[in-house]
Amino acid sequence: MDLGAVTNHSTLHAKPSGLVLQYGTAGFRTNAEHLDHIMYRMGLLAVLRSKQMKATIGVMVTASHNPEEDNGVKLVDPLGEMLAPSWEEHATRLANAEEQDLQRVLVDISESEAVDLQQDAFVVIGRDTRPSSEKLSHSVIDGVTVLGGQFHDYGLLTTPQLHYMVYCRNTSGRYGKATIEGYYQKLSKAFVELTKQASCSGDEYRSLKVDCANGIGALKLKEMQHYFSQGLLVQLFNDGTKGKLNHLCGADFVKSHQKPPEGMEMKSNERCCSFDGDADRIVYYYLDADGQFHLIDGDKIAALISSFLKDLLLEIGESLDIGVVQTAYANGSSTLYLEEVMKVPVYCTKTGVKHLHHKAQEFDIGVYFEANGHGTALFSKAVEVKIKQLAKELEDNKGKAAKMLENIIDLFNQAAGDAISDMLVIEAILALKGLTVQQWDALYMDLPNRQLKVKVADRRVISTTDAERQVVTPPGLQEAISDLVKKYKLSRAFVRPSGTEDVVRVYAEADSQENADSLAHEVSLAVFQLAGGIGERPTPNF
Ligand SMILES: CC(=O)N[C@H]1[C@@H](OP(=O)(O)O)O[C@H](CO)[C@@H](O)[C@@H]1O
Ligand SMILES: [Mg+2]
């Protein structure tokens, strides 16, 4: 490995002076103009990680739901999961090293992680549709090749497709073929099999409107739709031909503004959904007969999926251990419904899919979703083998249920939350159960809630515990929040520093929208006063 070349080459990818970035909840993210050196360095780091793990590592160039001018990068570990936390620290250190220190930092990382430098390295790269992504992905490739790593550039991919490719490559193709056709075929085959079993295949279940956030999801759905068109017709909006990425559309916009995206023609009671900019999140919604908007978020998706899986297991006669994993942002009604009505255990982790994914791996079947629509279901290897066996052995209704489960397992992306895969799972379940979007929505009523952001001088002054539901520092803030919460009914509130934006996030829910709004505003003021707010004091106008 020629470390000298690293420094010579790094001058081509100069670090802007004074810029300090951190590997956050979803890698590095900032304005695309400041990211060239980060991409190069993440190429270098991916090679070290690949050598250490003796496996293929993924690098995805995307900034998901951020504005089009931003970009970002994250590394994908061998089984398609997010990068291990100790390597996130290496990533931050490498990203912020001065050019003359790069070699030393690389040597330090290699030594502390016992990286065998003689080992081969292989890195796969994917990128979203941002104008800056292509050039930035070439900088990643520069980093990979300067350390002698081999690579495959998949070009345009959704984030979960890159996770899938990494997983396939590191499981010798047992999970699926590591090609875009392999992905389309695996998912579509499972979906078409499932929908064939649906007795109600009326038109209502066959068509869906999809807002693609003007992002990569549109390209990939266009390529894929003929593979599954037997079971579902999709009508694409915000497909990137006119609008700007994530601008007034996409899953993040719909979830946070609780209103329909621009550019979508909605008729009452039609099922619609939105992807985010890199197609790893999905939310559903519809307009009722009075034209009122109803959002069906990640929590209700988790409820639909876990109730379907539970029913199938009951039919097959297998008692497997199902767990649902949420974050503090999960609506209180969803947690109550899952625990009290469905009788499934619910666990809360810190924000960020790596935490949810990790927890979900503890169960035979782990369903995890963030309220914003990022999630999937994980099945243990033993369960997968058992269900395949039962699908062959069992007959009649039990056999049918086992085959459904076998196909559902294939339909879920086991590496990461995936808008396309989740969309097909949801569509299959609705068709199989004969549920309309309104019936699905009626599983439970969301508690009114409000999310706000507060700007502070240094958001790191806020530290939390209990899966981010309680503040530890600064002193007095938790007491203030607890006192405010007591003023309202069915209320809950918490604050945490964001891992992707320079803000403190505030969440509140209560018995009415007015009360949720007031509580969120009062908590924002407490944060502003006790955690060093900057700029204007929060106002109650949202
Ligand atoms: C409240 C919220 O939606 N937070 C999002 C957001 O994280 P923050 O750490 O809250 O900025 O971006 C993450 C990455 O996309 C996503 O996993 C998470 O759910
Ligand atoms: Mg995303």
Side-chain angles (χ1 to χ4, degrees):
M1 199 169 78
D2 180 8
L3 287 179
V6 169
T7 318
N8 295 339
H9 226 77
S10 72
T11 48
L12 298 174
H13 301 283
K15 177 169 112 55
S17 68
L19 181 70
V20 178
L21 293 173
Q22 203 176 354
Y23 197 99
T25 323
F28 294 102
R29 266 188 214 180
T30 189
N31 187 290
E33 287 181 7
H34 301 144
L35 280 169
D36 181 55
H37 70 297
I38 298 281
M39 297 291 164
Y40 171 70
R41 293 167 185 216
M42 288 309 102
L44 301 173
L45 192 73
V47 169
L48 295 190
R49 181 66 171 157
S50 171
K51 285 176 186 283
Q52 187 207 31
M53 300 303 287
K54 302 183 177 41
T56 296
I57 294 296
V59 180
M60 182 71 199
V61 177
T62 181
S64 182
H65 57 276
N66 285 39
E68 191 165 285
E69 311 73 69
D70 284 1
N71 217 321
V73 60
K74 66 178 178 185
L75 266 60
V76 177
D77 255 358
L79 295 181
E81 344 78 297
M82 301 288 186
L83 185 64
S86 61
W87 280 76
E88 291 188 357
E89 283 170 30
H90 300 324
T92 300
R93 188 160 166 230
L94 192 62
N96 296 315
E98 294 307 325
E99 258 145 60
Q100 65 274 17
D101 299 332
L102 263 189
Q103 266 194 50
R104 193 174 46 78
V105 174
L106 288 170
V107 170
D108 279 359
I109 297 172
S110 304
E111 283 177 3
S112 70
E113 293 287 347
V115 175
D116 173 3
L117 296 177
Q118 302 311 315
Q119 182 66 37
D120 289 341
F122 199 87
V123 178
V124 291
I125 299 140
R127 63 168 199 270
D128 72 11
T129 52
R130 285 163 204 272
S132 58
S133 290
E134 187 169 1
K135 187 160 175 286
L136 290 174
S137 72
H138 289 150
S139 306
V140 174
I141 293 171
D142 250 7
V144 172
T145 50
V146 85
L147 280 186
Q150 305 274 309
F151 71 93
H152 178 78
D153 181 9
Y154 279 101
L156 293 164
L157 280 187
T158 70
T159 295
Q161 285 171 342
L162 181 78
H163 286 256
Y164 165 92
M165 300 303 174
V166 173
Y167 192 26
C168 290
R169 283 176 177 265
N170 289 316
T171 47
S172 318
R174 281 191 305 280
Y175 182 62
K177 264 210 215 135
T179 60
I180 194 73
E181 287 77 25
Y183 172 94
Y184 293 153
Q185 277 161 0
K186 176 172 174 160
L187 268 61
S188 303
K189 181 169 172 284
F191 178 71
V192 170
E193 287 292 320
L194 276 165
T195 44
K196 267 194 224 152
Q197 288 180 271
S199 46
C200 40
S201 53
D203 276 352
E204 188 181 341
Y205 296 101
R206 286 188 29 89
S207 77
L208 173 70
K209 291 186 166 175
V210 188
D211 152 33
C212 298
N214 291 315
I216 181 73
L219 287 183
K220 296 297 155 183
L221 258 191
K222 270 184 201 163
E223 282 172 14
M224 186 181 184
Q225 58 187 347
H226 73 271
Y227 288 84
F228 61 72
S229 55
Q230 249 176 295
L232 177 71
L233 296 172
V234 285
Q235 209 182 333
L236 308 190
F237 295 85
N238 298 323
D239 66 354
T241 46
K242 302 191 288 282
K244 218 173 158 187
L245 178 70
N246 296 325
H247 183 61
L248 305 176
C249 61
D252 193 63
F253 173 86
V254 173
K255 167 76 181 158
S256 45
H257 293 82
Q258 311 207 359
K259 63 179 189 192
E262 303 248 312
M264 186 133 174
E265 297 147 23
M266 290 174 69
K267 293 202 198 100
S268 64
N269 295 330
E270 269 180 350
R271 240 172 25 260
C272 304
C273 68
S274 285
F275 291 2
D276 74 336
D278 62 340
D280 63 358
R281 287 199 211 168
I282 185 168
V283 293
Y284 270 69
Y285 42 88
Y286 66 99
L287 294 177
D288 65 20
D290 301 325
Q292 208 192 329
F293 176 77
H294 294 256
L295 174 70
I296 303 183
D297 66 4
D299 302 335
K300 227 166 235 176
I301 296 175
L304 179 78
I305 291 171
S306 34
S307 95
F308 180 73
L309 294 175
K310 214 178 159 201
D311 288 353
L312 281 186
L313 291 175
L314 213 65
E315 180 71 51
I316 303 169
E318 282 294 320
S319 68
L320 297 174
D321 175 26
I322 300 192
V324 177
V325 188
Q326 305 183 316
T327 70
Y329 292 98
N331 195 278
S333 296
S334 75
T335 316
L336 208 64
Y337 173 80
L338 287 162
E339 285 178 335
E340 303 295 319
V341 181
M342 284 194 41
K343 310 275 183 225
V344 292
V346 180
Y347 301 83
C348 185
T349 68
K350 287 198 228 169
T351 302
V353 277
K354 64 183 172 212
H355 301 294
L356 292 104
H357 191 93
H358 192 69
K359 184 73 193 171
Q361 284 171 325
E362 291 177 13
F363 308 96
D364 293 335
I365 301 179
V367 178
Y368 75 82
F369 268 88
E370 291 191 308
N372 61 28
H374 193 159
T376 187
L378 303 180
F379 301 84
S380 74
K381 235 353 343 82
V383 165
E384 211 182 313
V385 171
K386 189 170 196 172
I387 297 300
K388 276 204 181 359
Q389 189 63 28
L390 290 175
K392 276 198 210 112
E393 287 169 3
L394 295 175
E395 288 173 3
D396 305 326
N397 282 348
K398 278 180 189 265
K400 250 175 140 180
K403 283 194 189 74
M404 268 185 209
L405 194 51
E406 188 185 13
N407 282 318
I408 279 278
I409 295 175
D410 275 345
L411 192 48
F412 273 113
N413 187 333
Q414 299 285 289
D418 181 335
I420 294 180
S421 144
D422 290 338
M423 174 190 87
L424 294 175
V425 167
I426 292 164
E427 291 299 310
I429 295 177
L430 294 178
L432 286 162
K433 289 198 135 189
L435 280 178
T436 63
V437 70
Q438 298 85 342
Q439 286 166 328
W440 173 21
D441 188 30
L443 286 181
Y444 60 83
M445 278 264 285
D446 274 320
L447 275 173
N449 58 87
R450 177 66 64 191
Q451 255 197 67
L452 297 175
K453 300 176 189 180
V454 183
K455 281 215 169 283
V456 297
D458 180 1
R459 69 194 198 278
R460 289 171 303 181
V461 299
I462 297 191
S463 62
T464 62
T465 183
D466 187 24
E468 302 175 322
R469 290 172 291 192
Q470 296 279 322
V471 168
V472 178
T473 59
L477 181 54
Q478 185 54 52
E479 290 72 16
I481 296 172
S482 302
D483 286 346
L484 292 168
V485 166
K486 279 188 207 132
K487 289 171 50 185
Y488 300 93
K489 287 202 195 95
L490 300 176
S491 54
R492 189 167 71 88
F494 66 92
V495 305
R496 55 176 280 280
S498 159
T500 59
E501 284 177 65
D502 191 10
V503 295
V504 175
R505 293 198 198 280
V506 171
Y507 177 90
E509 61 187 33
D511 57 341
S512 69
Q513 191 60 54
E514 209 184 351
N515 288 343
D517 288 350
S518 303
L519 177 57
H521 173 61
E522 288 166 347
V523 172
S524 301
L525 285 175
V527 170
F528 191 85
Q529 278 152 11
L530 297 168
I534 52 171
E536 277 181 36
R537 274 164 63 87
T539 58
N541 313 316
F542 319 121

